[in-house]
Amino acid sequence: MQIQENISLKPYNTFGIDVITKYFVSVSSINELKAVLNLKGYPEKLILGGGSNMLLTKDLEALVIHVNIKGIEIVSIDRDYVTVKANAGENWHEFVLWCLDKGFGGIENLALIPGNVGSAPIQNIGAYGVELKDVFVSCEALSIQTNAIESFSKADCDFGYRDSIFKQQSKGKYVITSVTLKLSNNNHKLNIKYGAIASQLDFMKITQPNIVDVSKAVIAIRSSKLPNPKDIGNSGSFFKNPVIPKAQYDDLLNSFNDMPHYPISNDEVKIPAGWLIEKAGFKGKRFGDYGVHKNQALVLVNYGDAKGKDILRLSILIQKTVKRLFDISIDAEVNIL
């Protein structure tokens, strides 16, 4: 464990934004993490995982702590279910593939989501009708204040849509070190009704899909819509899908009769933010080295050497335009630093 100075964070964020942090250290154990958090004399300490849910807009005076704690273990297993614990530094997609290789189901719809395991509970990651909370048992997190490991149950995490206690009242107070999930080991319940999964399976000529088939369908869909961060810098979906009153949606139908929606309750509906952004004219629009992806309006991209502040300005322009056209507010899903 060595603290480095004046390090570029370009390799550590999926947007590929080149900013400099004054201090940088990578930790591979809880003891190393505790030791670094106890260090004095640094103006600020910033926790960094997979770097998939952040937009860096300036150089940092901070000590950036890269959490690289690895390891996956089977905690318990019986005929029907398995409990699996993964440490925070594991790549999420590789963890999904590890589970599928073992025949464990429940997170196949979450394949190819960028980032590390430790970030998953913060966002309550989700895709194609499945969210982390559906299989979540608990997570362990190091308290920055007390330097003690605490356990958080599903109820403790207060999960919401791309939300959790770690983004609200406990933001900045903990570092997640591991996540424990309960997955199916038999009689897998597939979720293939959401989005284009069913049609993709038809295209693949699969009539009786298994969990691997579903993951392959999800990977194919995501690959066709979302750019690979290794090729084009991005952070996946930049905006959350807004939830609005059904009465407002009914009024909007008078002007936009093709507006899609997903019922949340009797009184609320979710509107795809990508549809709103596309209708506002931003899909595929490029501004020099940055812009909106041609296949998915939810994704803002860095084509080369864009600055984080440029992408931030674009996101604000999109938000203002959508608000003016539809009277709907769309919130950023990424953390902006």
mmCIF file with all atom_site columns, all heavy atoms in Angstrom, residues 243-247 261-270:
data_model
loop_
_atom_site.group_PDB
_atom_site.id
_atom_site.type_symbol
_atom_site.label_atom_id
_atom_site.label_alt_id
_atom_site.label_comp_id
_atom_site.label_asym_id
_atom_site.label_entity_id
_atom_site.label_seq_id
_atom_site.pdbx_PDB_ins_code
_atom_site.Cartn_x
_atom_site.Cartn_y
_atom_site.Cartn_z
_atom_site.occupancy
_atom_site.B_iso_or_equiv
_atom_site.pdbx_formal_charge
_atom_site.auth_seq_id
_atom_site.auth_comp_id
_atom_site.auth_asym_id
_atom_site.auth_atom_id
_atom_site.pdbx_PDB_model_num
ATOM 1   N N   . VAL A 1 243 ? -40.718 9.890  -12.279 1.00 0.00 ? 243 VAL A N   1
ATOM 2   C CA  . VAL A 1 243 ? -42.046 9.412  -11.880 1.00 0.00 ? 243 VAL A CA  1
ATOM 3   C C   . VAL A 1 243 ? -42.940 10.638 -11.715 1.00 0.00 ? 243 VAL A C   1
ATOM 4   O O   . VAL A 1 243 ? -42.587 11.580 -10.998 1.00 0.00 ? 243 VAL A O   1
ATOM 5   C CB  . VAL A 1 243 ? -41.979 8.607  -10.572 1.00 0.00 ? 243 VAL A CB  1
ATOM 6   C CG1 . VAL A 1 243 ? -43.379 8.211  -10.102 1.00 0.00 ? 243 VAL A CG1 1
ATOM 7   C CG2 . VAL A 1 243 ? -41.102 7.367  -10.759 1.00 0.00 ? 243 VAL A CG2 1
ATOM 8   N N   . ILE A 1 244 ? -44.095 10.633 -12.396 1.00 0.00 ? 244 ILE A N   1
ATOM 9   C CA  . ILE A 1 244 ? -44.989 11.788 -12.366 1.00 0.00 ? 244 ILE A CA  1
ATOM 10  C C   . ILE A 1 244 ? -46.404 11.341 -12.005 1.00 0.00 ? 244 ILE A C   1
ATOM 11  O O   . ILE A 1 244 ? -46.739 10.153 -12.140 1.00 0.00 ? 244 ILE A O   1
ATOM 12  C CB  . ILE A 1 244 ? -45.016 12.527 -13.721 1.00 0.00 ? 244 ILE A CB  1
ATOM 13  C CG1 . ILE A 1 244 ? -45.614 11.640 -14.816 1.00 0.00 ? 244 ILE A CG1 1
ATOM 14  C CG2 . ILE A 1 244 ? -43.609 12.982 -14.107 1.00 0.00 ? 244 ILE A CG2 1
ATOM 15  C CD1 . ILE A 1 244 ? -45.842 12.355 -16.141 1.00 0.00 ? 244 ILE A CD1 1
ATOM 16  N N   . PRO A 1 245 ? -47.253 12.266 -11.567 1.00 0.00 ? 245 PRO A N   1
ATOM 17  C CA  . PRO A 1 245 ? -48.657 11.918 -11.288 1.00 0.00 ? 245 PRO A CA  1
ATOM 18  C C   . PRO A 1 245 ? -49.351 11.437 -12.554 1.00 0.00 ? 245 PRO A C   1
ATOM 19  O O   . PRO A 1 245 ? -49.108 11.964 -13.649 1.00 0.00 ? 245 PRO A O   1
ATOM 20  C CB  . PRO A 1 245 ? -49.261 13.235 -10.789 1.00 0.00 ? 245 PRO A CB  1
ATOM 21  C CG  . PRO A 1 245 ? -48.103 14.044 -10.315 1.00 0.00 ? 245 PRO A CG  1
ATOM 22  C CD  . PRO A 1 245 ? -46.961 13.670 -11.208 1.00 0.00 ? 245 PRO A CD  1
ATOM 23  N N   . LYS A 1 246 ? -50.217 10.453 -12.411 1.00 0.00 ? 246 LYS A N   1
ATOM 24  C CA  . LYS A 1 246 ? -50.931 9.929  -13.575 1.00 0.00 ? 246 LYS A CA  1
ATOM 25  C C   . LYS A 1 246 ? -51.781 11.016 -14.230 1.00 0.00 ? 246 LYS A C   1
ATOM 26  O O   . LYS A 1 246 ? -51.940 11.048 -15.459 1.00 0.00 ? 246 LYS A O   1
ATOM 27  C CB  . LYS A 1 246 ? -51.814 8.751  -13.179 1.00 0.00 ? 246 LYS A CB  1
ATOM 28  C CG  . LYS A 1 246 ? -52.452 8.047  -14.385 1.00 0.00 ? 246 LYS A CG  1
ATOM 29  C CD  . LYS A 1 246 ? -53.229 6.823  -13.985 1.00 0.00 ? 246 LYS A CD  1
ATOM 30  C CE  . LYS A 1 246 ? -53.765 6.103  -15.217 1.00 0.00 ? 246 LYS A CE  1
ATOM 31  N NZ  . LYS A 1 246 ? -54.612 6.968  -16.073 1.00 0.00 ? 246 LYS A NZ  1
ATOM 32  N N   . ALA A 1 247 ? -52.321 11.925 -13.421 1.00 0.00 ? 247 ALA A N   1
ATOM 33  C CA  . ALA A 1 247 ? -53.136 13.015 -13.967 1.00 0.00 ? 247 ALA A CA  1
ATOM 34  C C   . ALA A 1 247 ? -52.306 13.881 -14.908 1.00 0.00 ? 247 ALA A C   1
ATOM 35  O O   . ALA A 1 247 ? -52.795 14.317 -15.965 1.00 0.00 ? 247 ALA A O   1
ATOM 36  C CB  . ALA A 1 247 ? -53.713 13.850 -12.829 1.00 0.00 ? 247 ALA A CB  1
ATOM 37  N N   . HIS A 1 261 ? -45.180 4.881  -20.980 1.00 0.00 ? 261 HIS A N   1
ATOM 38  C CA  . HIS A 1 261 ? -45.191 4.988  -19.517 1.00 0.00 ? 261 HIS A CA  1
ATOM 39  C C   . HIS A 1 261 ? -45.253 3.598  -18.901 1.00 0.00 ? 261 HIS A C   1
ATOM 40  O O   . HIS A 1 261 ? -45.635 2.626  -19.567 1.00 0.00 ? 261 HIS A O   1
ATOM 41  C CB  . HIS A 1 261 ? -46.379 5.814  -19.036 1.00 0.00 ? 261 HIS A CB  1
ATOM 42  C CG  . HIS A 1 261 ? -47.683 5.098  -19.123 1.00 0.00 ? 261 HIS A CG  1
ATOM 43  N ND1 . HIS A 1 261 ? -48.300 4.812  -20.332 1.00 0.00 ? 261 HIS A ND1 1
ATOM 44  C CD2 . HIS A 1 261 ? -48.500 4.567  -18.159 1.00 0.00 ? 261 HIS A CD2 1
ATOM 45  C CE1 . HIS A 1 261 ? -49.424 4.158  -20.122 1.00 0.00 ? 261 HIS A CE1 1
ATOM 46  N NE2 . HIS A 1 261 ? -49.570 3.992  -18.815 1.00 0.00 ? 261 HIS A NE2 1
ATOM 47  N N   . TYR A 1 262 ? -44.867 3.533  -17.620 1.00 0.00 ? 262 TYR A N   1
ATOM 48  C CA  . TYR A 1 262 ? -44.962 2.290  -16.849 1.00 0.00 ? 262 TYR A CA  1
ATOM 49  C C   . TYR A 1 262 ? -45.674 2.618  -15.542 1.00 0.00 ? 262 TYR A C   1
ATOM 50  O O   . TYR A 1 262 ? -45.210 3.462  -14.773 1.00 0.00 ? 262 TYR A O   1
ATOM 51  C CB  . TYR A 1 262 ? -43.573 1.708  -16.564 1.00 0.00 ? 262 TYR A CB  1
ATOM 52  C CG  . TYR A 1 262 ? -42.771 1.418  -17.804 1.00 0.00 ? 262 TYR A CG  1
ATOM 53  C CD1 . TYR A 1 262 ? -41.808 2.317  -18.261 1.00 0.00 ? 262 TYR A CD1 1
ATOM 54  C CD2 . TYR A 1 262 ? -42.991 0.254  -18.535 1.00 0.00 ? 262 TYR A CD2 1
ATOM 55  C CE1 . TYR A 1 262 ? -41.084 2.060  -19.407 1.00 0.00 ? 262 TYR A CE1 1
ATOM 56  C CE2 . TYR A 1 262 ? -42.264 -0.015 -19.682 1.00 0.00 ? 262 TYR A CE2 1
ATOM 57  C CZ  . TYR A 1 262 ? -41.314 0.896  -20.117 1.00 0.00 ? 262 TYR A CZ  1
ATOM 58  O OH  . TYR A 1 262 ? -40.584 0.641  -21.255 1.00 0.00 ? 262 TYR A OH  1
ATOM 59  N N   . PRO A 1 263 ? -46.813 1.995  -15.285 1.00 0.00 ? 263 PRO A N   1
ATOM 60  C CA  . PRO A 1 263 ? -47.553 2.286  -14.042 1.00 0.00 ? 263 PRO A CA  1
ATOM 61  C C   . PRO A 1 263 ? -46.723 1.925  -12.804 1.00 0.00 ? 263 PRO A C   1
ATOM 62  O O   . PRO A 1 263 ? -46.114 0.861  -12.740 1.00 0.00 ? 263 PRO A O   1
ATOM 63  C CB  . PRO A 1 263 ? -48.793 1.394  -14.144 1.00 0.00 ? 263 PRO A CB  1
ATOM 64  C CG  . PRO A 1 263 ? -48.935 1.096  -15.603 1.00 0.00 ? 263 PRO A CG  1
ATOM 65  C CD  . PRO A 1 263 ? -47.540 1.040  -16.143 1.00 0.00 ? 263 PRO A CD  1
ATOM 66  N N   . ILE A 1 264 ? -46.679 2.836  -11.847 1.00 0.00 ? 264 ILE A N   1
ATOM 67  C CA  . ILE A 1 264 ? -46.005 2.613  -10.571 1.00 0.00 ? 264 ILE A CA  1
ATOM 68  C C   . ILE A 1 264 ? -47.038 2.299  -9.499  1.00 0.00 ? 264 ILE A C   1
ATOM 69  O O   . ILE A 1 264 ? -46.842 1.446  -8.641  1.00 0.00 ? 264 ILE A O   1
ATOM 70  C CB  . ILE A 1 264 ? -45.177 3.842  -10.165 1.00 0.00 ? 264 ILE A CB  1
ATOM 71  C CG1 . ILE A 1 264 ? -44.093 4.124  -11.206 1.00 0.00 ? 264 ILE A CG1 1
ATOM 72  C CG2 . ILE A 1 264 ? -44.551 3.650  -8.789  1.00 0.00 ? 264 ILE A CG2 1
ATOM 73  C CD1 . ILE A 1 264 ? -43.071 3.024  -11.347 1.00 0.00 ? 264 ILE A CD1 1
ATOM 74  N N   . SER A 1 265 ? -48.136 3.024  -9.542  1.00 0.00 ? 265 SER A N   1
ATOM 75  C CA  . SER A 1 265 ? -49.258 2.822  -8.622  1.00 0.00 ? 265 SER A CA  1
ATOM 76  C C   . SER A 1 265 ? -50.507 3.339  -9.329  1.00 0.00 ? 265 SER A C   1
ATOM 77  O O   . SER A 1 265 ? -50.460 3.680  -10.518 1.00 0.00 ? 265 SER A O   1
ATOM 78  C CB  . SER A 1 265 ? -49.022 3.592  -7.315  1.00 0.00 ? 265 SER A CB  1
ATOM 79  O OG  . SER A 1 265 ? -49.025 4.987  -7.564  1.00 0.00 ? 265 SER A OG  1
ATOM 80  N N   . ASN A 1 266 ? -51.604 3.399  -8.619  1.00 0.00 ? 266 ASN A N   1
ATOM 81  C CA  . ASN A 1 266 ? -52.826 3.936  -9.214  1.00 0.00 ? 266 ASN A CA  1
ATOM 82  C C   . ASN A 1 266 ? -52.688 5.423  -9.539  1.00 0.00 ? 266 ASN A C   1
ATOM 83  O O   . ASN A 1 266 ? -53.404 5.944  -10.404 1.00 0.00 ? 266 ASN A O   1
ATOM 84  C CB  . ASN A 1 266 ? -54.017 3.735  -8.266  1.00 0.00 ? 266 ASN A CB  1
ATOM 85  C CG  . ASN A 1 266 ? -54.402 2.272  -8.133  1.00 0.00 ? 266 ASN A CG  1
ATOM 86  O OD1 . ASN A 1 266 ? -54.161 1.483  -9.046  1.00 0.00 ? 266 ASN A OD1 1
ATOM 87  N ND2 . ASN A 1 266 ? -54.969 1.905  -6.991  1.00 0.00 ? 266 ASN A ND2 1
ATOM 88  N N   . ASP A 1 267 ? -51.768 6.082  -8.847  1.00 0.00 ? 267 ASP A N   1
ATOM 89  C CA  . ASP A 1 267 ? -51.658 7.537  -8.978  1.00 0.00 ? 267 ASP A CA  1
ATOM 90  C C   . ASP A 1 267 ? -50.382 8.015  -9.651  1.00 0.00 ? 267 ASP A C   1
ATOM 91  O O   . ASP A 1 267 ? -50.248 9.211  -9.932  1.00 0.00 ? 267 ASP A O   1
ATOM 92  C CB  . ASP A 1 267 ? -51.746 8.185  -7.589  1.00 0.00 ? 267 ASP A CB  1
ATOM 93  C CG  . ASP A 1 267 ? -53.036 7.840  -6.866  1.00 0.00 ? 267 ASP A CG  1
ATOM 94  O OD1 . ASP A 1 267 ? -54.098 7.846  -7.518  1.00 0.00 ? 267 ASP A OD1 1
ATOM 95  O OD2 . ASP A 1 267 ? -52.964 7.548  -5.657  1.00 0.00 ? 267 ASP A OD2 1
ATOM 96  N N   . GLU A 1 268 ? -49.414 7.114  -9.911  1.00 0.00 ? 268 GLU A N   1
ATOM 97  C CA  . GLU A 1 268 ? -48.138 7.540  -10.467 1.00 0.00 ? 268 GLU A CA  1
ATOM 98  C C   . GLU A 1 268 ? -47.709 6.654  -11.625 1.00 0.00 ? 268 GLU A C   1
ATOM 99  O O   . GLU A 1 268 ? -48.012 5.454  -11.660 1.00 0.00 ? 268 GLU A O   1
ATOM 100 C CB  . GLU A 1 268 ? -47.048 7.512  -9.388  1.00 0.00 ? 268 GLU A CB  1
ATOM 101 C CG  . GLU A 1 268 ? -47.219 8.555  -8.289  1.00 0.00 ? 268 GLU A CG  1
ATOM 102 C CD  . GLU A 1 268 ? -46.081 8.503  -7.294  1.00 0.00 ? 268 GLU A CD  1
ATOM 103 O OE1 . GLU A 1 268 ? -45.687 7.387  -6.897  1.00 0.00 ? 268 GLU A OE1 1
ATOM 104 O OE2 . GLU A 1 268 ? -45.588 9.576  -6.913  1.00 0.00 ? 268 GLU A OE2 1
ATOM 105 N N   . VAL A 1 269 ? -46.982 7.248  -12.558 1.00 0.00 ? 269 VAL A N   1
ATOM 106 C CA  . VAL A 1 269 ? -46.422 6.497  -13.682 1.00 0.00 ? 269 VAL A CA  1
ATOM 107 C C   . VAL A 1 269 ? -44.965 6.912  -13.873 1.00 0.00 ? 269 VAL A C   1
ATOM 108 O O   . VAL A 1 269 ? -44.564 8.028  -13.530 1.00 0.00 ? 269 VAL A O   1
ATOM 109 C CB  . VAL A 1 269 ? -47.199 6.730  -14.998 1.00 0.00 ? 269 VAL A CB  1
ATOM 110 C CG1 . VAL A 1 269 ? -48.647 6.273  -14.858 1.00 0.00 ? 269 VAL A CG1 1
ATOM 111 C CG2 . VAL A 1 269 ? -47.140 8.192  -15.426 1.00 0.00 ? 269 VAL A CG2 1
ATOM 112 N N   . LYS A 1 270 ? -44.175 5.998  -14.420 1.00 0.00 ? 270 LYS A N   1
ATOM 113 C CA  . LYS A 1 270 ? -42.774 6.279  -14.736 1.00 0.00 ? 270 LYS A CA  1
ATOM 114 C C   . LYS A 1 270 ? -42.668 6.542  -16.233 1.00 0.00 ? 270 LYS A C   1
ATOM 115 O O   . LYS A 1 270 ? -43.199 5.786  -17.051 1.00 0.00 ? 270 LYS A O   1
ATOM 116 C CB  . LYS A 1 270 ? -41.886 5.109  -14.331 1.00 0.00 ? 270 LYS A CB  1
ATOM 117 C CG  . LYS A 1 270 ? -40.398 5.334  -14.554 1.00 0.00 ? 270 LYS A CG  1
ATOM 118 C CD  . LYS A 1 270 ? -39.595 4.069  -14.286 1.00 0.00 ? 270 LYS A CD  1
ATOM 119 C CE  . LYS A 1 270 ? -39.667 3.653  -12.830 1.00 0.00 ? 270 LYS A CE  1
ATOM 120 N NZ  . LYS A 1 270 ? -38.843 2.444  -12.579 1.00 0.00 ? 270 LYS A NZ  1
#
